[in-house]
Amino acid sequence: MVTFISQSKIFKNEEVFSPEHLPEMLPHRENQIKQLADNLLPASKGRKPQNTFIFGSPGIGKTAVAKFVFREFEEYSGIKTIYMNCWDFNTSLAVLSKIVSDFGMFVQRRGWARDEVILRLIEALEKSKKALIVCLDEVDQLIYKDQKVLYDLLRLNQYVKNPIGLIFISNNPHIFANLEPRIMSSLSLEEIEFEPYTLQEMRDILQERVEYGFYSVEEGVVALASAHAINKGGDVRVGLECLLKAGRLAEKETSDKVKVLHVKKVLKTVDEVKPRILKEKITDVEKLILDILNNEKKTLTFDEIYDIYSKNVESPLTKRMFREYVNHLESINLIKIGKRKFNRSRFILKV
Ligand SMILES: Nc1ncnc2c1ncn2[C@@H]1O[C@H](COP(=O)(O)OP(=O)(O)OP(=O)(O)O)[C@@H](O)[C@H]1O
Ligand SMILES: [Mg+2]
């Protein structure tokens, strides 16, 4: 009988190279962890936590820090923390329903209006009597579609005494720039900026993963993967993917350890990770826009793209609605919009 499951000689634990893995430690984020934890702390004494806005470039530990602090804080204080990625919860109703259902209350999928869900939420909070902490990660996806949720969450304070803390995360430091000043001042956000990792910091982070994940690596493996991650914009996920692929190659070649040569061979297959993640999440219309730009070698004006688009679909969107999708693609950095010199029409570029 052939058996396909055999003990790996390379991977001690392959899972630690997955971007979803939340490590026990987050080296070089001690200050941000402390700052966020300090902001939540008042909640454990029944006081209002400090609302916080975390921002910084992709793959530098923002989500990891929030989840890490939430896990520790919930354990320490018994206070409910709710984490949401706004790609998955991008309307006020979806966000509020998620909070209600995390309180263990029934939420009707369809048919409930926002006000009904808010009533349920008030009921849940009154019953629990405890503070509530909510993290809205990639909050741009929500603000871009439906800002009402901010009003709703702030309004809760008028009805219940529970301290409520809000944590927002985004790549874009200016995401709140156009918000009404009244809302901004009620939010009174404290900002925590995440700076990109230096090469040495990247090395430390990847070294730690390697120790958990591989049995044996040649000297230089971590250095090479780290340099590649820094070259590709500083996203730790790039480094992790290099290591994972190098490990798999080492396994395939029945090597006794992961070697520098393995990393060298996989490097060119590992590009920036964030655009790939985003391309999975965007709508079909947005995918079509990227396809159109990919197929044309030159840059296109908005009108040219719209023409190609409307010839290719059965019932095209209006130009105005189509523009929203183009703008959204720009806001998540998948395309660039600029102006040609001497020509007022906007041109659009794939990044
Ligand atoms: N200091 C660190 N120590 C260990 N692992 C880290 C550290 N910083 C980031 N990572 C790991 O890198 C990966 C990406 O981190 P994370 O998801 O937190 O990025 P992010 O800043 O939220 O990026 P994005 O803006 O794209 O959402 C995760 O697997 C995370 O565990
Ligand atoms: Mg994140």
Side-chain angles (χ1 to χ4, degrees):
M1 199 176 86
V2 185
T3 159
F4 291 100
I5 301 166
S6 65
Q7 194 72 36
S8 170
K9 292 191 177 58
I10 294 291
F11 288 107
K12 216 188 283 178
N13 181 0
E14 190 171 323
E15 206 266 325
V16 303
F17 299 107
S18 141
E20 276 74 46
H21 174 76
L22 186 55
E24 288 297 313
M25 306 258 286
L26 295 168
H28 303 296
R29 286 301 180 217
E30 293 81 5
N31 290 342
Q32 290 81 358
I33 289 173
K34 177 157 189 326
Q35 217 175 330
L36 182 58
D38 283 349
N39 287 356
L40 302 189
L41 210 58
S44 64
K45 304 190 179 81
R47 286 188 282 117
K48 190 172 165 4
Q50 167 66 52
N51 292 339
T52 306
F53 175 40
I54 293 173
F55 63 90
S57 58
I60 57 169
K62 302 182 300 298
T63 300
V65 162
K67 287 188 170 172
F68 182 87
V69 171
F70 271 24
R71 191 173 66 187
E72 305 272 305
F73 184 72
E74 207 168 75
E75 212 167 281
Y76 154 84
S77 68
I79 282 171
K80 195 154 200 61
T81 59
I82 299 178
Y83 168 90
M84 262 174 268
N85 187 308
C86 295
W87 278 97
D88 306 321
F89 299 90
N90 62 7
T91 63
S92 182
L93 188 62
V95 169
L96 297 169
S97 301
K98 160 83 174 150
I99 302 175
V100 173
S101 79
D102 274 20
F103 268 110
M105 290 181 96
F106 168 75
V107 183
Q108 192 155 352
R109 282 262 156 228
R110 272 165 227 283
W112 273 2
R114 221 166 92 240
D115 287 346
E116 176 78 37
V117 180
I118 292 174
L119 281 179
R120 297 283 158 154
L121 183 49
I122 291 171
E123 204 181 304
L125 285 167
E126 276 174 347
K127 230 194 238 164
S128 97
K129 295 197 172 58
K130 281 192 181 167
L132 165 69
I133 315 277
V134 180
C135 174
L136 298 176
D137 199 351
E138 313 232 26
V139 67
D140 8 347
Q141 301 317 312
L142 182 62
I143 291 186
Y144 141 84
K145 271 191 91 168
D146 186 0
Q147 292 189 5
K148 285 196 293 288
V149 70
L150 299 179
Y151 297 76
D152 291 337
L153 290 171
L154 286 170
R155 205 153 55 109
L156 283 175
N157 283 320
Q158 298 169 6
Y159 305 108
V160 292
K161 292 201 181 66
N162 315 52
I164 298 172
L166 303 172
I167 314 298
F168 303 107
I169 306 179
S170 175
N171 293 135
N172 180 356
H174 310 295
I175 190 66
F176 293 109
N178 297 324
L179 220 61
E180 262 182 58
R182 194 170 52 91
I183 295 287
M184 275 314 278
S185 77
S186 322
L187 280 173
S188 81
L189 292 172
E190 182 188 288
E191 294 185 347
I192 305 181
E193 178 172 6
F194 278 51
E195 301 273 358
Y197 294 121
T198 62
L199 178 60
Q200 186 56 49
E201 288 172 341
M202 185 68 80
R203 280 189 185 196
D204 294 343
I205 291 165
L206 294 182
Q207 182 63 42
E208 178 112 354
R209 295 288 181 107
V210 158
E211 270 153 36
Y212 283 103
F214 289 139
Y215 285 111
S216 175
V217 297
E218 199 174 70
E219 173 134 18
V221 162
V222 170
L224 192 55
S226 306
H228 191 65
I230 295 290
N231 280 340
K232 294 284 170 189
D235 188 326
V236 177
R237 289 170 293 208
V238 171
L240 292 171
E241 194 176 321
C242 285
L243 293 171
L244 178 67
K245 285 189 164 171
R248 286 190 180 150
L249 182 63
E251 207 163 45
K252 201 167 135 206
E253 293 182 354
T254 57
S255 170
D256 60 340
K257 58 168 81 162
V258 186
K259 298 186 174 161
V260 172
L261 193 65
H262 298 128
V263 185
K264 275 189 182 155
K265 281 187 185 162
V266 300
L267 276 192
K268 56 181 170 309
T269 70
V270 187
D271 214 335
E272 279 180 61
V273 174
K274 186 76 187 227
R276 260 185 279 152
I277 298 176
L278 294 174
K279 281 176 195 162
E280 302 262 307
K281 298 185 183 233
I282 54 179
T283 61
D284 289 344
V285 178
E286 288 161 338
K287 284 182 184 153
L288 201 53
I289 298 172
L290 291 184
D291 284 347
I292 293 172
L293 285 162
N294 268 333
N295 290 338
E296 300 283 323
K297 291 282 170 269
K298 57 188 172 61
T299 62
L300 296 173
T301 65
F302 175 80
D303 288 339
E304 285 165 343
I305 296 188
Y306 184 74
D307 280 348
I308 301 175
Y309 158 79
S310 33
K311 278 183 198 129
N312 277 288
V313 294
E314 252 174 50
S315 38
L317 297 165
T318 63
K319 227 177 201 180
R320 218 177 109 233
M321 283 169 78
F322 187 75
R323 195 180 286 281
E324 297 270 306
Y325 289 96
V326 171
N327 289 343
H328 180 239
L329 283 174
E330 187 197 23
S331 78
I332 57 175
N333 286 326
L334 285 182
I335 61 168
K336 271 199 167 68
I337 303 182
K339 272 192 180 139
R340 281 201 182 102
K341 261 188 185 172
F342 314 117
N343 180 343
R344 308 235 331 277
S345 65
R346 301 191 312 161
F347 69 89
I348 297 175
L349 268 177
K350 181 177 62 77
V351 171

